[in-house]
């Protein structure tokens, strides 16, 4: 079993910055993909960014140039540095980890979500 614990959300003014963290723990052999998704009120969950193999990154067009995803392999942690935040970034942000481990083998796990609110 794998658990993902998120932190770093909060209230910030437009143009400000936040850094989200997501730490994975449990029976993990390897993490293939970690990423961030977000869900705004009344909308479906959407991709924000992913990092595969600890190096290959992808970003949603809406956050390119403003957000940066990174990871710390020693801590099984993924980060999302969010700069130049806009009101439309307001959402609950969810961490995703695709892991190899016991007892389930390859499996996706989700964090509990952390609220990001961008407002003046």
């Amino acid at each position: 079993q794998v658990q993902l614990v998120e932190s770093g959300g909060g209230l910030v003014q437009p143009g400000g910055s936040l850094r989200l963290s997501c730490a994975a723990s449990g029976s993990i052999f390897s993490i293939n993909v970690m990423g961030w998704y977000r869900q705004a009120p009344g909308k479906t969950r959407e991709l924000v960014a992913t990092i595969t193999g600890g190096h290959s990154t992808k970003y949603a067009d809406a956050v390119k140039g403003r957000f940066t995803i990174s990871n710390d392999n020693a801590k099984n942690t993924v980060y999302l540095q969010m700069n130049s935040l806009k009101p439309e970034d307001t959402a609950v942000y969810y961490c995703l980890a695709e892991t190899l481990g016991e007892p389930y083998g390859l499996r996706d796990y989700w964090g509990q979500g952390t609220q990001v609110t961008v407002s003046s």
Side-chain angles (χ1 to χ4, degrees):
Q1 296 184 0
V2 175
Q3 299 81 42
L4 303 180
V5 179
E6 301 178 28
S7 63
L11 175 65
V12 66
Q13 292 185 332
S17 298
L18 287 172
R19 189 182 73 161
L20 306 183
S21 299
C22 175
S25 63
S27 183
I28 301 171
F29 177 74
S30 65
I31 299 175
N32 297 323
V33 182
M34 295 193 79
W36 294 93
Y37 290 70
R38 67 187 183 187
Q39 188 167 13
K43 297 184 178 180
T44 58
R45 192 171 299 185
E46 65 178 5
L47 171 72
V48 177
T50 60
I51 182 164
T52 301
H55 302 283
S56 181
T57 60
K58 292 184 178 181
Y59 297 91
D61 288 343
V63 307
K64 287 180 179 178
R66 300 188 297 119
F67 291 10
T68 302
I69 188 169
S70 61
N71 68 293
D72 183 335
N73 289 332
K75 298 180 179 179
N76 284 335
T77 299
V78 65
Y79 304 95
L80 185 68
Q81 179 66 47
M82 303 185 293
N83 298 326
S84 301
L85 282 162
K86 303 175 180 179
E88 51 263 45
D89 296 318
T90 296
V92 178
Y93 284 70
Y94 296 92
C95 178
L96 168 73
E98 181 186 277
T99 72
L100 283 171
E102 296 292 344
Y104 301 111
L106 184 64
R107 188 177 178 91
D108 289 345
Y109 295 89
W110 291 91
Q112 80 282 3
T114 185
Q115 177 71 48
V116 172
T117 302
V118 184
S119 177
S120 59

